[in-house]
Amino acid sequence: MSGHATSLRLKLPAICFLLQLLTIILFAVYVRYDEETSANLWHQKLRHHNGSNLDNDFYFRYPSFQDVHTMIFIGFGFLMTFLKRYGFSSVAFNFLIAAFAIQWSTLIQGFLHSFHNGKIHVGIESMINADFCSGAILISFGAVLGKTSPVQLLLMTLLEVTLFGINEYILLSLIGAKDAGGSMTIHTFGAYFGLTVSRLLYRPHLNKSRQREGSVYHSDLFAMIGTIYLWLFWPSFNSAVTAHGDDQHRTVLNTYFSLAASTLATFAISSLINGEGKLDMVHIQNAALAGGVVVGTSAEMMLTPFGAMIAGFLAGTISTLGFKFITPILDSKLKIQDTCGVHNLHGLPGVLGALLGALVAGLATQDKVWGGRPLYSGRGTLFIPPPVYFPPGGILKMSFLASPPDTQCFEDQIYWEVRAKGLSSFSFNISKGRGKAQPAQ
Amino acid sequence: MSGHATSLRLKLPAICFLLQLLTIILFAVYVRYDEETSANLWHQKLRHHNGSNLDNDFYFRYPSFQDVHTMIFIGFGFLMTFLKRYGFSSVAFNFLIAAFAIQWSTLIQGFLHSFHNGKIHVGIESMINADFCSGAILISFGAVLGKTSPVQLLLMTLLEVTLFGINEYILLSLIGAKDAGGSMTIHTFGAYFGLTVSRLLYRPHLNKSRQREGSVYHSDLFAMIGTIYLWLFWPSFNSAVTAHGDDQHRTVLNTYFSLAASTLATFAISSLINGEGKLDMVHIQNAALAGGVVVGTSAEMMLTPFGAMIAGFLAGTISTLGFKFITPILDSKLKIQDTCGVHNLHGLPGVLGALLGALVAGLATQDKVWGGRPLYSGRGTLFIPPPVYFPPGGILKMSFLASPPDTQCFEDQIYWEVRAKGLSSFSFNISKGRGKAQPAQ
Amino acid sequence: MSGHATSLRLKLPAICFLLQLLTIILFAVYVRYDEETSANLWHQKLRHHNGSNLDNDFYFRYPSFQDVHTMIFIGFGFLMTFLKRYGFSSVAFNFLIAAFAIQWSTLIQGFLHSFHNGKIHVGIESMINADFCSGAILISFGAVLGKTSPVQLLLMTLLEVTLFGINEYILLSLIGAKDAGGSMTIHTFGAYFGLTVSRLLYRPHLNKSRQREGSVYHSDLFAMIGTIYLWLFWPSFNSAVTAHGDDQHRTVLNTYFSLAASTLATFAISSLINGEGKLDMVHIQNAALAGGVVVGTSAEMMLTPFGAMIAGFLAGTISTLGFKFITPILDSKLKIQDTCGVHNLHGLPGVLGALLGALVAGLATQDKVWGGRPLYSGRGTLFIPPPVYFPPGGILKMSFLASPPDTQCFEDQIYWEVRAKGLSSFSFNISKGRGKAQPAQ
């Protein structure tokens, strides 16, 4: 490997310019303000319905949107900073691919879900859905974290957003499933897509970089910023696009209780399975969130608060056990190197959530739960069979994509100007009365 | 002390499982959706009142709830990461006990405040109140930070939530006081409960761990994340359960001005009392928040903006002086070791806030202030005399609760897998063209 | 230089007390609750209009306000923590001057914009506008970061808030421009004011502190917290005071797309202009935000989503190039030392945004864009010529203001108690079964 191979100098600008140019052209041709964001359409609507500016859906969705937005960029971004030498890449590549994903998915979801009279109409709902889609991409990013260049990641985003849209279309539009919080469409899809890509990009010699595949003290604290924000705003995530009124309110409540229970389960299991009876930050950072994933499908239903707690408690338990027992097997037996353990946080709890949705929908009589609206939740969890992913995976393997060598995985320095080593590059001279710092040595 | 004594292996899982199981059973028996979260009840209500889904209280309380939620989990959690070696425990035990507290207080507050026809009905208001209660627990946690195991903390939570509910019931329901921002019910109660527990768990040999009872450079920055979020969202905290309309709006405004003034007071006093004229992060991290505490009772009243500023300025001044002069006395004379100085941030300003509430309520004619609503704010600040806390305190002292030895206080490693020392475990090799990291030495 | 000269002991308390006292007196005389925060006025209004408490503007502005508030205190505060030895000062002086600025600008903006019957009436809109004004001050702070004492900064705030109000009055009230997101009033003004002050305080011997004018690994991660929050909430910033309904909704949408495109541009240009094809955190932390600045004036107009993307892409490109090519020239040729590069993030994109606003307003027919409302956006970008700033600048140069010496710029220790060097002050002893930490050596 030469320094040249991982240089982003021409590759990254080329793909960024190309994707942004393509997006701008498609937006110019197809994307228009919807009736809540267009001056003309909105004022027409107001006149016809004798309404008020304060009825604009902006006021009833935007706070939820901002919570979701925070999860995508702060939550996912900082959760992945746990690696000792990959903090820049974690938070900044997360930033880059989400910034592209929200644009691209506005187009893909628009073509598939809201293409009327040859135009895509955008507003707060399209923004939330675009953020949701980028959530799935970032889950996949977690599986390949540290082993892919930003060029590969942008290509992956281009392909995955497209497949995400198709999968979502099959699930929600053709089959008619309900999945407001995305147990199936976001978590299960994002996790298994990421694992498939990770399998395709399998590195037999990754042990050359294993010494960097861990945390240091402060990187674990940065990661906790991500964890806590994901945990806090998961009720908003699951409820952001549910129907207004009791649905949205109930979704929040159920998610809140499920998360609380999964947190206790995670602490319990983490200390139980550790030989010295110590807790493990990996578990706390991840498995405590499984309660949000597991009720993604069912939280809008009449799950009951104690039902949400049971679901959350099981999800936290299974997720923590997954980190201890399944991740090593995925690596050693199935050649799937899952950097962030997305299988445990998003894969397993997502599948469990789909089953739970089917169960709750099955138990409830239609009338009692939904006031007459049809419900087919939980039918099928993944509709694009894994082999379909292989061709795009193949594209990602192409050698000119600035992928890191096996010896340089989990390492910021190949993609970033890193100016100085840690804080210790300066000693703090704390002798009184002088107050002057000295460079070390 | 042996390594065994602080092992969480059986103790933490046992208490987590037990508490969660108990909670789930009680929820199954007693907790139901309220009329804003239940599909049936909400649609009945809509039909009877000819209302709209957009009238659901969700839209008028949820943004405030999320601000409060952020204060509880990010604000308190990161504020306590200032200790150099206790960041994992600070943010994660905060996470654990708040996750349990919100469940348990939903039950306790439900039984005491909203138990109708044998059921507790839950929705956004119960969520806010549960978060409030957990705020009191986390204040107490601040007093015993670094000196207690998570097992002890969960037991403390179980007991304190219960007493919190009783105290709140006496104050708000029996006496009829108004205390929307919890100067009395949350801050004063939480602080003095915590100080009582700290007194009960007094460690004469804590000096063996004093070298860890301080900050390092980056731990103080992590703590500032907590401080700023608490400061930002305190207007939401004080207003989250006030009456809709001008009350909520005015509470926000008064709190905003009070906080601004307490910030200037804190910087002023901090530099004034330092021998070298330097500022102290301990003061900025804490006393700047006193402006939020001090108007907890009175912010919803016609306090006037300049009244709020005077209150905030006094609170910031007193709180900063407390850190300098009172904390050492509590430790040396009263055997109360108050790790975070909660007496200065929550205790003193809470008492001051109760007095201020009484004053403002007394000054105002009923009609002028409340449009005819009765007002008894400020009567009495704490209704459970400290001796009542002793028996539960006694339980916390039991030797099998994995409490740290005197030599191991303020130390993450006894409860956590700590994988590597700081960032310095790797030197950053920044020689050009090589880009390869080497483990130090 | 002696330690004495930078002591804050008497200077900082004096200015804090004085400013706070003056503010309190002026508030007592002039500031009153507005009709949405006053109990009497609100209930009168309700009776006259047969309205509901839920119509209070609090519910339609407060979530936006809190996003803006987060940008001011977390966003700006943490963005500036990138310096290796200036994290305390960055986040805490940001905190101090913003806390004063929001009070002082409530008065100044009140006198100039909403002075009726001899009183200033305050509520959520005045809070947002006060936060906006403090944004301009913090932009200026970025230009002089590390080279000024908190005493100088408070004086600068006093003067700049006043000039900000006058400039805003000329632009918005006299000329009638629209500038909801403040491309002109906030970004351009704040940047060029800060650069003027930096020029006045030019330090020919700043090279004595250059070794501290850079980042370390974790300080760049702290800065990313600021960046991401600014990026996330910029849609709220631009829309916080626009008209309710489609205006506010459309402003959010345009800003969202502009920011996404500026992010891709920043990554592209950053890697393109680096000799080794590496990315630079300075660019990502700053230029990715230029998309928010550039649509500050035009985002509320019918800019179209693809128009917003083009604007954002250009702004990200120009801003990144500015860091590479213009900042060094400002320093070497014009004697302007711009610590944070505010010229690139706020100056250039702000001017571009003003031009864009004029262009979009000019292109659109009045009817099509605004439904009949008059529009004069983009006329003139700065109305107070730079020479006007010189006298206040002169005041800031006075020698008794605790300004740091040239050898002690970018250094927390002159103003802060810094208790220990980095995390490395303790080695983490991770030998099994002992679990005991030892102070290093």
Side-chain angles (χ1 to χ4, degrees):
Chain A
M1 161 258 176
S2 71
H4 185 66
T6 58
S7 169
L8 303 173
R9 186 151 196 188
L10 297 177
K11 297 163 191 173
L12 187 59
I15 192 169
C16 284
F17 282 129
L18 205 71
L19 293 178
Q20 190 63 62
L21 185 67
L22 176 64
T23 305
I24 288 175
I25 292 171
L26 290 172
F27 263 65
V29 177
Y30 293 113
V31 177
R32 297 293 176 271
Y33 294 121
D34 70 11
E35 65 176 6
E36 312 251 330
T37 46
S38 155
N40 285 337
L41 298 179
W42 175 250
H43 287 281
Q44 272 176 32
K45 189 178 174 181
L46 282 192
R47 280 188 297 271
H48 291 170
H49 293 80
N50 207 9
S52 147
N53 273 318
L54 300 182
D55 299 334
N56 195 292
D57 207 28
F58 175 76
Y59 303 103
F60 303 94
R61 297 262 183 226
Y62 187 61
S64 304
F65 163 75
Q66 275 297 2
D67 292 352
V68 172
H69 214 39
T70 302
M71 292 174 74
I72 297 299
F73 289 87
I74 290 281
F76 281 103
F78 278 89
L79 181 57
M80 294 191 268
T81 59
F82 75 98
L83 289 171
K84 67 182 80 167
R85 300 290 299 275
Y86 208 63
F88 291 7
S89 300
S90 294
V91 72
F93 295 168
N94 184 92
F95 187 23
L96 173 64
I97 63 183
F100 173 60
I102 57 182
Q103 299 180 58
W104 192 245
S105 64
T106 300
L107 288 167
I108 298 293
Q109 293 180 319
F111 285 126
L112 291 168
H113 293 295
S114 60
F115 197 64
H116 303 300
N117 301 320
K119 301 294 175 198
I120 295 164
H121 292 90
V122 291
I124 190 70
E125 277 207 55
S126 74
M127 289 167 70
I128 295 171
N129 282 314
D131 267 51
F132 276 179
C133 175
S134 66
I137 315 306
L138 298 175
I139 292 167
S140 304
F141 175 39
V144 299
L145 187 75
K147 302 172 294 181
T148 40
S149 74
V151 181
Q152 289 175 292
L153 291 169
L154 282 172
L155 271 184
M156 186 184 86
T157 303
L158 182 73
L159 297 163
E160 185 175 355
V161 166
T162 312
L163 291 170
F164 174 94
I166 296 171
N167 186 51
E168 191 187 45
Y169 177 74
I170 297 171
L171 263 169
L172 304 189
S173 299
L174 297 190
I175 298 178
K178 289 188 77 78
D179 191 22
S183 287
M184 299 175 270
T185 54
I186 300 167
H187 299 288
T188 311
F189 176 84
Y192 288 104
F193 187 94
L195 295 173
T196 308
V197 173
S198 188
R199 176 66 189 79
L200 286 167
L201 301 180
Y202 178 67
R203 292 170 179 269
H205 303 299
L206 190 60
N207 61 334
K208 292 178 182 170
S209 289
R210 289 288 185 197
Q211 81 279 11
R212 257 177 263 107
E213 198 187 8
S215 61
V216 288
Y217 194 69
H218 280 165
S219 71
D220 267 326
L221 281 176
F222 279 112
M224 279 303 283
I225 298 173
T227 297
I228 301 287
Y229 271 108
L230 288 170
W231 194 92
L232 286 177
F233 291 151
W234 218 295
S236 303
F237 191 93
N238 284 348
S239 69
V241 294
T242 54
H244 285 312
D246 63 298
D247 289 39
Q248 207 162 5
H249 199 159
R250 184 172 55 249
T251 307
V252 157
L253 188 70
N254 288 332
T255 308
Y256 170 83
F257 286 126
S258 178
L259 285 161
S262 70
T263 304
L264 266 77
T266 301
F267 278 84
I269 305 294
S270 181
S271 52
L272 188 66
I273 61 182
N274 179 283
E276 297 180 87
K278 294 184 178 183
L279 292 158
D280 192 327
M281 282 301 262
V282 173
H283 304 153
I284 309 306
Q285 284 159 5
N286 290 280
L289 301 168
V293 177
V294 77
V295 296
T297 304
S298 57
E300 63 178 322
M301 307 177 189
M302 291 293 281
L303 178 60
T304 75
F306 85 95
M309 283 174 172
I310 293 173
F313 196 79
L314 289 177
T317 301
I318 288 169
S319 184
T320 312
L321 293 172
F323 277 96
K324 177 80 172 181
F325 300 109
I326 301 178
T327 299
I329 293 174
L330 287 184
D331 190 343
S332 61
K333 305 289 181 197
L334 301 181
K335 299 185 176 178
I336 298 172
Q337 294 154 332
D338 179 5
T339 311
C340 292
V342 301
H343 185 249
N344 310 305
L345 172 49
H346 301 279
L348 288 179
V351 171
L352 201 65
L355 298 174
L356 179 67
L359 178 73
V360 177
L363 283 177
T365 67
Q366 210 176 268
D367 180 87
K368 192 170 157 197
V369 182
W370 290 108
R373 274 168 286 154
L375 180 74
Y376 305 94
S377 179
R379 284 205 191 158
T381 57
L382 253 188
F383 286 84
I384 302 185
V388 172
Y389 304 142
F390 279 76
I395 294 170
L396 296 179
K397 291 179 80 169
M398 290 179 186
S399 59
F400 58 85
L401 298 177
S403 175
D406 288 350
T407 54
Q408 289 293 304
C409 289
F410 317 116
E411 174 57 58
D412 272 338
Q413 280 191 96
I414 53 171
Y415 299 127
W416 294 91
E417 286 287 344
V418 177
R419 287 190 177 72
K421 53 183 179 168
L423 193 67
S424 54
S425 62
F426 280 85
S427 68
F428 279 67
N429 183 329
I430 53 170
S431 61
K432 295 273 178 187
R434 186 147 166 263
K436 185 168 170 192
Q438 299 286 354
Q441 284 94 41
Chain B
M1 161 264 174
S2 73
H4 185 67
T6 58
S7 169
L8 303 171
R9 187 154 196 186
L10 297 178
K11 297 162 190 172
L12 187 60
I15 191 169
C16 284
F17 282 129
L18 205 71
L19 292 177
Q20 189 63 62
L21 186 68
L22 176 65
T23 305
I24 289 174
I25 292 171
L26 291 172
F27 263 65
V29 177
Y30 293 112
V31 177
R32 298 294 178 268
Y33 294 122
D34 69 12
E35 65 175 6
E36 312 250 331
T37 47
S38 155
N40 285 337
L41 298 179
W42 175 250
H43 287 282
Q44 273 176 31
K45 187 176 175 182
L46 283 191
R47 280 190 297 272
H48 290 170
H49 293 80
N50 207 9
S52 147
N53 273 317
L54 300 182
D55 300 334
N56 195 293
D57 207 28
F58 176 76
Y59 303 102
F60 304 95
R61 296 262 184 227
Y62 187 61
S64 304
F65 164 75
Q66 276 297 5
D67 293 351
V68 173
H69 214 37
T70 301
M71 291 173 75
I72 298 298
F73 289 87
I74 290 282
F76 282 103
F78 278 89
L79 180 57
M80 293 191 269
T81 60
F82 75 97
L83 289 171
K84 66 182 81 165
R85 299 289 299 273
Y86 209 62
F88 291 7
S89 300
S90 295
V91 71
F93 294 167
N94 184 90
F95 187 22
L96 172 65
I97 62 184
F100 173 60
I102 57 181
Q103 299 179 60
W104 192 245
S105 64
T106 301
L107 288 167
I108 298 294
Q109 294 180 318
F111 285 126
L112 291 168
H113 293 296
S114 60
F115 197 63
H116 303 300
N117 301 320
K119 301 295 175 196
I120 295 164
H121 292 90
V122 292
I124 190 69
E125 278 208 53
S126 74
M127 290 167 69
I128 295 171
N129 282 314
D131 267 51
F132 276 179
C133 175
S134 66
I137 315 305
L138 298 175
I139 292 166
S140 303
F141 175 38
V144 299
L145 187 76
K147 302 171 294 182
T148 40
S149 75
V151 181
Q152 289 176 292
L153 292 169
L154 283 172
L155 271 183
M156 184 185 86
T157 304
L158 182 74
L159 297 162
E160 185 175 355
V161 166
T162 311
L163 291 170
F164 173 95
I166 296 170
N167 187 51
E168 191 187 44
Y169 177 76
I170 297 171
L171 263 168
L172 305 189
S173 300
L174 297 190
I175 298 178
K178 289 187 77 77
D179 191 23
S183 287
M184 299 175 270
T185 54
I186 300 167
H187 298 289
T188 312
F189 177 84
Y192 288 104
F193 187 96
L195 295 173
T196 309
V197 174
S198 188
R199 175 65 190 80
L200 286 167
L201 302 180
Y202 178 66
R203 290 169 180 269
H205 304 298
L206 190 61
N207 61 334
K208 292 178 183 170
S209 289
R210 289 286 186 198
Q211 80 280 13
R212 258 178 262 106
E213 197 187 9
S215 62
V216 287
Y217 195 68
H218 280 165
S219 72
D220 267 327
L221 281 177
F222 279 112
M224 280 302 284
I225 298 173
T227 297
I228 301 286
Y229 271 108
L230 288 169
W231 195 93
L232 286 177
F233 292 152
W234 217 295
S236 303
F237 190 93
N238 284 349
S239 69
V241 295
T242 54
H244 286 312
D246 62 299
D247 289 40
Q248 208 162 4
H249 199 158
R250 183 172 56 250
T251 308
V252 157
L253 189 71
N254 288 332
T255 309
Y256 170 85
F257 286 127
S258 178
L259 285 162
S262 69
T263 304
L264 265 78
T266 302
F267 277 83
I269 305 295
S270 181
S271 52
L272 187 66
I273 61 182
N274 179 284
E276 297 180 87
K278 293 184 178 184
L279 293 158
D280 192 325
M281 281 301 261
V282 172
H283 305 153
I284 309 305
Q285 285 159 5
N286 290 280
L289 300 168
V293 176
V294 77
V295 296
T297 304
S298 57
E300 63 178 322
M301 307 175 190
M302 292 293 281
L303 178 59
T304 75
F306 85 95
M309 284 174 173
I310 293 172
F313 196 79
L314 289 177
T317 301
I318 288 169
S319 184
T320 312
L321 292 173
F323 277 96
K324 177 80 173 180
F325 300 110
I326 300 178
T327 299
I329 293 173
L330 287 185
D331 191 343
S332 60
K333 306 288 181 199
L334 302 180
K335 299 186 177 178
I336 297 172
Q337 294 154 332
D338 178 6
T339 310
C340 293
V342 302
H343 185 250
N344 310 306
L345 171 50
H346 301 279
L348 288 179
V351 172
L352 200 64
L355 298 174
L356 178 66
L359 178 73
V360 177
L363 283 176
T365 67
Q366 210 175 270
D367 180 87
K368 192 169 159 197
V369 181
W370 289 108
R373 274 168 286 155
L375 179 75
Y376 305 96
S377 180
R379 284 208 192 158
T381 57
L382 254 187
F383 287 83
I384 303 185
V388 172
Y389 304 142
F390 279 76
I395 293 170
L396 296 178
K397 290 180 82 169
M398 290 182 185
S399 60
F400 58 85
L401 296 177
S403 175
D406 288 351
T407 55
Q408 289 294 304
C409 289
F410 318 116
E411 174 57 58
D412 271 338
Q413 280 191 97
I414 53 171
Y415 297 128
W416 294 92
E417 286 286 343
V418 177
R419 287 188 178 74
K421 52 183 179 167
L423 193 68
S424 54
S425 63
F426 280 86
S427 68
F428 279 68
N429 182 329
I430 53 170
S431 60
K432 296 273 178 186
R434 187 148 164 261
K436 186 170 168 193
Q438 299 287 354
Q441 280 86 46
Chain C
M1 162 260 176
S2 72
H4 185 67
T6 58
S7 168
L8 304 171
R9 187 153 197 187
L10 297 178
K11 297 163 190 170
L12 187 59
I15 191 168
C16 284
F17 282 129
L18 205 71
L19 293 178
Q20 189 63 62
L21 185 68
L22 176 65
T23 306
I24 288 175
I25 293 171
L26 290 172
F27 264 64
V29 177
Y30 292 113
V31 177
R32 296 295 177 268
Y33 294 121
D34 70 12
E35 65 175 5
E36 312 251 329
T37 47
S38 155
N40 285 338
L41 298 179
W42 175 249
H43 287 282
Q44 273 177 31
K45 187 177 175 181
L46 283 191
R47 280 190 296 272
H48 292 170
H49 293 79
N50 207 8
S52 149
N53 273 318
L54 300 182
D55 300 333
N56 195 292
D57 207 29
F58 175 75
Y59 302 103
F60 303 94
R61 297 262 183 227
Y62 187 61
S64 305
F65 163 75
Q66 275 297 3
D67 293 350
V68 172
H69 214 38
T70 302
M71 293 174 73
I72 297 299
F73 289 87
I74 290 282
F76 282 104
F78 277 89
L79 181 58
M80 293 192 269
T81 60
F82 74 98
L83 289 170
K84 67 182 79 166
R85 300 290 297 275
Y86 209 63
F88 290 7
S89 301
S90 295
V91 71
F93 294 167
N94 184 91
F95 187 23
L96 172 65
I97 62 183
F100 173 60
I102 58 182
Q103 298 181 60
W104 191 246
S105 64
T106 300
L107 288 167
I108 297 295
Q109 294 179 319
F111 285 126
L112 291 168
H113 293 295
S114 59
F115 198 63
H116 303 300
N117 302 320
K119 300 295 174 196
I120 295 164
H121 292 90
V122 291
I124 190 70
E125 278 207 53
S126 74
M127 289 166 69
I128 295 171
N129 282 314
D131 267 50
F132 276 178
C133 175
S134 66
I137 314 306
L138 298 175
I139 292 166
S140 304
F141 175 38
V144 299
L145 188 75
K147 302 171 294 181
T148 40
S149 75
V151 180
Q152 287 175 293
L153 292 168
L154 282 172
L155 270 185
M156 184 185 85
T157 303
L158 182 74
L159 296 163
E160 185 175 356
V161 166
T162 311
L163 291 170
F164 173 95
I166 296 171
N167 187 49
E168 190 186 46
Y169 177 75
I170 297 172
L171 263 169
L172 305 189
S173 299
L174 297 190
I175 298 178
K178 290 186 75 77
D179 190 23
S183 287
M184 299 175 270
T185 53
I186 300 167
H187 299 289
T188 311
F189 177 83
Y192 289 103
F193 187 96
L195 295 173
T196 308
V197 174
S198 188
R199 175 67 189 79
L200 287 168
L201 302 180
Y202 177 67
R203 289 170 180 269
H205 303 298
L206 191 60
N207 61 334
K208 292 179 183 171
S209 288
R210 289 287 185 198
Q211 80 279 12
R212 258 178 262 107
E213 196 187 10
S215 61
V216 287
Y217 195 68
H218 279 166
S219 72
D220 268 326
L221 281 177
F222 279 112
M224 279 303 283
I225 298 173
T227 297
I228 301 286
Y229 271 108
L230 288 169
W231 194 91
L232 286 177
F233 291 152
W234 217 295
S236 304
F237 191 93
N238 284 349
S239 68
V241 294
T242 53
H244 285 313
D246 62 298
D247 290 38
Q248 208 163 5
H249 199 158
R250 184 172 54 251
T251 308
V252 158
L253 189 71
N254 289 332
T255 309
Y256 171 83
F257 285 126
S258 178
L259 285 162
S262 70
T263 304
L264 266 79
T266 301
F267 277 84
I269 305 295
S270 181
S271 52
L272 187 67
I273 60 182
N274 179 284
E276 297 180 88
K278 293 184 179 183
L279 293 158
D280 193 325
M281 282 302 261
V282 173
H283 304 153
I284 309 305
Q285 285 159 5
N286 290 280
L289 301 168
V293 176
V294 78
V295 296
T297 303
S298 57
E300 62 178 323
M301 307 177 189
M302 290 294 281
L303 178 60
T304 75
F306 85 94
M309 283 174 172
I310 293 173
F313 197 79
L314 288 177
T317 301
I318 288 169
S319 183
T320 312
L321 292 173
F323 277 96
K324 178 79 172 182
F325 300 109
I326 300 178
T327 299
I329 292 173
L330 287 185
D331 190 342
S332 60
K333 305 288 180 198
L334 301 181
K335 298 187 176 177
I336 298 171
Q337 294 154 332
D338 179 5
T339 311
C340 292
V342 302
H343 184 248
N344 310 305
L345 171 50
H346 301 279
L348 289 179
V351 171
L352 201 64
L355 297 174
L356 178 66
L359 178 72
V360 177
L363 284 177
T365 67
Q366 210 175 269
D367 181 87
K368 193 170 157 199
V369 180
W370 289 108
R373 274 169 286 156
L375 180 74
Y376 305 96
S377 179
R379 284 208 192 156
T381 58
L382 254 189
F383 286 82
I384 303 185
V388 171
Y389 304 141
F390 279 77
I395 294 170
L396 296 179
K397 290 179 81 169
M398 290 180 186
S399 59
F400 58 85
L401 298 177
S403 176
D406 288 351
T407 54
Q408 289 294 302
C409 288
F410 318 116
E411 174 58 57
D412 271 338
Q413 280 191 95
I414 52 171
Y415 298 127
W416 294 91
E417 285 287 344
V418 177
R419 288 188 178 71
K421 53 183 179 168
L423 192 67
S424 54
S425 63
F426 279 86
S427 69
F428 279 67
N429 183 330
I430 53 170
S431 60
K432 296 274 175 183
R434 187 146 164 262
K436 186 173 168 190
Q438 299 286 355
Q441 278 82 49

